Amino acid sequence: QVQLVESGGGVVQPGRSLRLSCAASGFTFSRFSMYWVRQAPGKGLDWVAVISDDGSDKYYADSVEGRFTISRDNSKNTLYLQMNSLRAEDTAVYYCSRDISVGVGITGLMDVWGQGTTVTVSS
Amino acid sequence: DIQMTQSPSSLSASVGDRVTITCRASQGISNFLAWYQQKPGKVPKLLIYAASTLQSGVPSRFSGSGSGTDFTLTISSLQPEDIATYYCQKYNSAPWTFGQGTKVEIK
């Protein structure tokens, strides 16, 4: 079945780095744009970044621009989020999600979500 | 950037009640509006896109309407399994902003 499994979360000190991974299975990963969305404790959904199916287009929320980098390895069916210069306000559950449409670029709609990985930024 | 504002932030209704949630965009977004449902402890689920199109498998008691800046999500007859937080999201262009959420509880 279609599945997204995030990993790489943990507790990290402010200013340090962390890399999240999202392993995809059950669908042709290389044909879908992919997203990272986060949710701070007790808060709402916050879109973080998106990457097109071939990796040529990337967009970031202003809050992470210049600190986070989204990437993918289609040969490994894996999405990544490199997070540098982490701040306390980056503490959240990070979800990866899949675009609803195949092969048509970034639509902004997310139809499959992983279970999330928790990132805690604290000294 | 376009801001998405939902109202109310929370509501309590009885089983069988008609429930309406409103989402307002700070600028027009045509019909590029989606609704997601997040049940407690679960991941978000896409309910409606293009303001009024039900995602496959979503019960018909859910409906959406609106265009431009004002949108609504309606649950025609609230069921216990509808307890969740509902989020609207604009997707006409980056950033793909979510509303702050509306928590629906059973009275």
Side-chain angles (χ1 to χ4, degrees):
Chain A
Q1 74 278 22
V2 174
Q3 194 171 14
L4 299 171
V5 179
E6 301 93 337
S7 61
V11 180
V12 61
Q13 293 179 328
R16 304 298 292 264
S17 299
L18 206 59
R19 188 176 84 155
L20 305 183
S21 300
C22 171
S25 60
F27 65 99
T28 306
F29 178 72
S30 61
R31 300 197 67 196
F32 290 84
S33 298
M34 297 293 296
Y35 303 82
W36 287 101
V37 177
R38 67 185 179 184
Q39 188 168 34
K43 302 296 184 181
L45 302 173
D46 183 27
W47 168 75
V48 173
V50 61
I51 186 168
S52 60
D53 52 6
D54 63 358
S56 60
D57 292 322
K58 303 174 186 180
Y59 298 91
Y60 299 92
D62 287 346
S63 58
V64 306
E65 179 85 57
R67 299 188 299 124
F68 290 11
T69 301
I70 190 171
S71 62
R72 64 192 297 160
D73 186 336
N74 286 345
S75 68
K76 295 182 179 179
N77 292 339
T78 303
L79 175 72
Y80 302 100
L81 185 67
Q82 177 67 44
M83 304 186 295
N84 299 332
S85 303
L86 282 161
R87 306 167 179 169
E89 54 265 35
D90 296 319
T91 294
V93 174
Y94 284 73
Y95 297 103
C96 70
S97 59
R98 187 188 78 171
D99 197 290
I100 195 173
S101 291
V102 55
V104 295
I106 298 168
T107 69
L109 290 172
M110 308 163 207
D111 70 336
V112 178
W113 296 65
Q115 290 300 309
T117 187
T118 301
V119 173
T120 303
V121 183
S122 173
S123 54
Chain B
D1 291 346
I2 297 174
Q3 305 302 313
M4 306 301 292
T5 303
Q6 290 181 232
S7 60
S9 297
S10 65
L11 66 87
S12 181
S14 299
V15 172
D17 281 355
R18 183 181 185 89
V19 169
T20 299
I21 299 169
T22 297
C23 177
R24 175 164 290 176
S26 59
Q27 298 176 38
I29 58 171
S30 185
N31 69 334
F32 290 94
L33 191 284
W35 291 96
Y36 293 81
Q37 175 194 62
Q38 187 177 29
K39 295 183 178 181
K42 301 297 184 181
V43 303
K45 172 187 175 182
L46 177 64
L47 287 182
I48 288 171
Y49 59 95
S52 61
T53 302
L54 255 61
Q55 173 70 336
S56 175
V58 174
S60 58
R61 64 181 179 273
F62 290 92
S63 65
S65 65
S67 182
T69 60
D70 294 308
F71 303 87
T72 59
L73 171 68
T74 299
I75 308 172
S76 61
S77 177
L78 186 68
Q79 299 302 304
E81 60 266 32
D82 300 334
I83 298 313
T85 300
Y86 294 84
Y87 297 92
C88 64
Q89 180 218 4
K90 62 168 280 293
Y91 64 97
N92 59 318
S93 63
W96 290 277
T97 309
F98 293 88
Q100 82 278 15
T102 296
K103 187 174 184 179
V104 174
E105 298 175 318
I106 295 288
K107 189 181 296 182

